Amino acid sequence: YTKEKTKRKKKAIDRISLPLCNQVVVFGGTHGNELSGIWLVRKWQTGLPLKSETCKVTSHLTNPEAIKLCRRYKDCDINRQFLDEKLTGKPDAKEPYEVQRAREIYSTFSDTSRKRLILDMHNTTANMGLCLIVEKESDLFALHMCRYIQNAFPKDYCRVMLQGQSYGDIRYIVKHGIAIEVGPQPHGVLRSDIADVQEKAVKLSLEFVDLFNKGHQFGSCEISAWTLKGKVDFPRDEKRNIEGMIHRDIQDQDWKPISGTTNIFQALNGQNLTLADVLKNEYDAGSEVYPLFINEASYYEKDLAFWLSTKSVIMLPAL
Amino acid sequence: YTKEKTKRKKKAIDRISLPLCNQVVVFGGTHGNELSGIWLVRKWQTGLPLKSETCKVTSHLTNPEAIKLCRRYKDCDINRQFLDEKLTGKPDAKEPYEVQRAREIYSTFSDTSRKRLILDMHNTTANMGLCLIVEKESDLFALHMCRYIQNAFPKDYCRVMLQGQSYGDIRYIVKHGIAIEVGPQPHGVLRSDIADVQEKAVKLSLEFVDLFNKGHQFGSCEISAWTLKGKVDFPRDEKRNIEGMIHRDIQDQDWKPISGTTNIFQALNGQNLTLADVLKNEYDAGSEVYPLFINEASYYEKDLAFWLSTKSVIMLPAL
């Protein structure tokens, strides 16, 4: 019975068909200290433009004030402001800079015709390699694009993360979007190796869009994806100072499975804390979990030492 | 004649004799986003104290306000404020926080008896490994200590940099001081491998002091040192935006020699710039130079892509 059901289900979505993509909008500098996206936008705007054969491509700096300061944000993280309640509220002169800027971007780029694609460039201090972030498993267009990008990189260098929900990211304002997150790179530093990977990923996205618009058929395939399930915070004292640092056993080990007995923190007193120690009653011994964005600098203030995710394989119908 | 002179000179300083060291003061958080020193001070202050058999050891957070902000500084870099003209000027309620804090530290720790040692802990985003910074070639006590620390690490992991002059660093207020600079570590991130190296270097310093105070004799020896000679800034446009990023040929290649034909920047237009292109008339083709602190995040605002240094071998008389 199960087999039959799967078969019917697979047949029902044997091939999906989507509108052509008529504009790709690439954003850099959504966080003002993540320098590879900022560098690339300036490169593409000063003489070496990004091109596509089949659609309009533009690139933009998301947060100019944060870029000037070389900080993640001026008043608040712009990538938490793209939510209906914030975008459609009454403008107020006293509202944070990033809320104003999010409205501006929303009014220019939001897309009810579902024909735009947003690529949002980010960097992380974590050893994530090239990480393509898609909101939902149902965004098959984005997932096929991820598969296409992945194939051009060495095995296990490029991975897909499913966010599971929108946190008010800039991609919220269009139907299809991916964040292109490359690391490790210290914030406030521009590394040529990281910028090269970032640029290659964007160009592969445009190649994919051109092929798609020209009617190329992308066969059905499987893709591994890591879905965010929860946060793990550092151990902290009453003043929020951290009392444990990321343990050497997991530093730089993003995407690798850990279990309850894995050491995740080394405390001020020298003791090791395991995942089960930290999660206590919430710990589910049966599940295999994968830490992501381990030791990302900007997450210290967000009460976040790393994300926990689960891994799954998604069947993509042909496109 | 030269040989004779050298021989006499060597003999004259066959063994140096210095006062015992009766206090070691260790500072962390001189820059508020360099987390390994901050972590260690908190560790030593909350139950696992630093110890020496022969002298008093204390550890302190240099810049509490910058630490709270997790930024290099609040108003200005404290490590440029320890200069007589600033420390002895008339206090002014409107002066920057770091100037006030420097006065406080100066009044507590400055040392005319020459019996104190300051260890100042730093991190860099550059691939410097363990770098021990000494102000002057004439600080033989500090250089012997460097040699002692160096011997406990793998070859070429721990190196000595001569600053050549004081920039108003915290070590300015005592006779002997070294900065213990460990990288690469992104600012705002605490890596256990980097913290472990930092702690090991501090403990080796205390071991050295104990041996010295107990009358241990340190034989004459040679030590390689890199002396700062000048700065190289990024190529910039009229708004000070950088127009060239550190070239992949030198990224992470701190301490390695480069020549006039070495590519040092990759420009926005894709072209490579060599060292001779950038230094133009100042370039001295005959000299071998070594870039240090390549792509250090906090140097972008200081118009500094890396330091140029020369390498020399220093003969240390016995101590």
Side-chain angles (χ1 to χ4, degrees), chain B residues 26-39:
Chain B
V26 190
F27 286 102
T30 299
H31 296 130
N33 55 6
E34 299 179 8
L35 300 193
S36 74
I38 300 167
W39 171 262

Side-chain angles (χ1 to χ4, degrees), chain B residues 255-288:
Chain B
W255 309 106
K256 312 258 172 72
I258 59 174
S259 72
T261 57
T262 306
N263 291 318
I264 60 169
F265 295 117
Q266 189 187 335
L268 269 180
N269 63 11
Q271 290 193 323
N272 294 333
L273 294 172
T274 66
L275 183 63
D277 289 339
V278 171
L279 293 188
K280 298 191 183 90
N281 298 335
E282 294 161 67
Y283 179 66
D284 169 7
S287 73
E288 199 165 46

Side-chain angles (χ1 to χ4, degrees), chain A residues 42 190-191 242 252 295 300, chain B residues 42 190-191 242 252 295:
Chain A
R42 291 181 51 233
L190 175 64
R191 287 183 62 100
I242 69 168
D252 302 328
N295 223 348
Y300 281 62
Chain B
R42 291 181 51 232
L190 174 64
R191 287 184 62 100
I242 70 169
D252 303 327
N295 222 348

Side-chain angles (χ1 to χ4, degrees), chain B residues 181-198:
Chain B
E181 179 89 62
V182 196
Q185 178 174 269
H187 297 321
V189 166
L190 174 64
R191 287 184 62 100
S192 61
D193 50 355
I194 299 293
D196 287 350
V197 167
Q198 184 85 268

Side-chain angles (χ1 to χ4, degrees), chain B residues 6-199:
Chain B
T6 313
K7 215 172 160 187
R8 269 191 291 131
K9 199 176 165 198
K10 263 180 87 173
K11 203 159 181 190
I13 50 166
D14 217 26
R15 180 170 299 278
I16 47 168
S17 136
L18 292 167
L20 300 188
C21 172
N22 67 3
Q23 187 182 10
V24 180
V25 188
V26 190
F27 286 102
T30 299
H31 296 130
N33 55 6
E34 299 179 8
L35 300 193
S36 74
I38 300 167
W39 171 262
L40 290 173
V41 171
R42 291 181 51 232
K43 176 174 173 177
W44 299 326
Q45 290 182 350
T46 61
L48 295 166
L50 260 190
K51 279 180 193 163
S52 149
E53 294 171 47
T54 61
C55 70
K56 192 178 164 197
V57 186
T58 58
S59 61
H60 307 270
L61 295 175
T62 313
N63 193 336
E65 289 300 317
I67 294 167
K68 271 187 220 159
L69 296 168
C70 196
R71 290 194 195 140
R72 185 170 177 86
Y73 52 78
K74 179 174 172 281
D75 298 328
C76 59
D77 190 342
I78 199 170
N79 236 12
R80 299 291 180 276
Q81 309 311 321
F82 291 94
L83 288 168
D84 278 342
E85 63 267 30
K86 300 199 180 190
L87 294 168
T88 58
K90 214 174 152 190
D92 172 356
K94 277 183 272 176
E95 68 193 353
Y97 167 73
E98 277 81 5
V99 174
Q100 297 173 43
R101 180 70 183 137
R103 280 183 211 279
E104 251 176 66
I105 291 169
Y106 177 72
S107 71
T108 315
F109 298 107
S110 79
D111 176 35
T112 50
S113 64
R114 304 182 164 195
K115 291 185 175 174
R116 277 195 196 128
L117 166 71
I118 282 182
L119 304 175
D120 184 26
M121 299 184 287
H122 287 267
N123 296 125
T124 170
T125 62
N127 186 31
M128 291 283 280
L130 171 56
C131 167
L132 305 173
I133 303 177
V134 174
E135 190 185 322
K136 294 184 299 274
E137 190 173 329
S138 58
D139 190 349
L140 299 172
F141 179 77
L143 288 173
H144 263 291
M145 183 183 296
C146 292
R147 195 80 193 88
Y148 185 81
I149 297 171
Q150 222 167 34
N151 285 338
F153 285 95
K155 187 169 153 34
D156 289 344
Y157 180 71
C158 173
R159 320 234 194 180
V160 174
M161 190 188 104
L162 287 171
Q163 209 168 241
Q165 64 176 105
S166 172
Y167 291 93
D169 316 84
I170 195 166
R171 294 163 290 131
Y172 178 76
I173 64 177
V174 292
K175 177 77 177 169
H176 303 296
I178 63 173
I180 301 175
E181 179 89 62
V182 196
Q185 178 174 269
H187 297 321
V189 166
L190 174 64
R191 287 184 62 100
S192 61
D193 50 355
I194 299 293
D196 287 350
V197 167
Q198 184 85 268
E199 184 165 31

Side-chain angles (χ1 to χ4, degrees), chain A residues 100-134:
Chain A
Q100 296 173 44
R101 180 69 184 138
R103 279 182 213 282
E104 251 177 68
I105 291 169
Y106 177 73
S107 71
T108 314
F109 297 107
S110 79
D111 176 36
T112 50
S113 63
R114 304 182 163 193
K115 291 184 174 175
R116 275 194 198 130
L117 165 71
I118 282 182
L119 304 175
D120 185 25
M121 299 185 287
H122 287 267
N123 296 125
T124 171
T125 62
N127 186 30
M128 290 284 280
L130 172 56
C131 167
L132 305 173
I133 304 177
V134 174

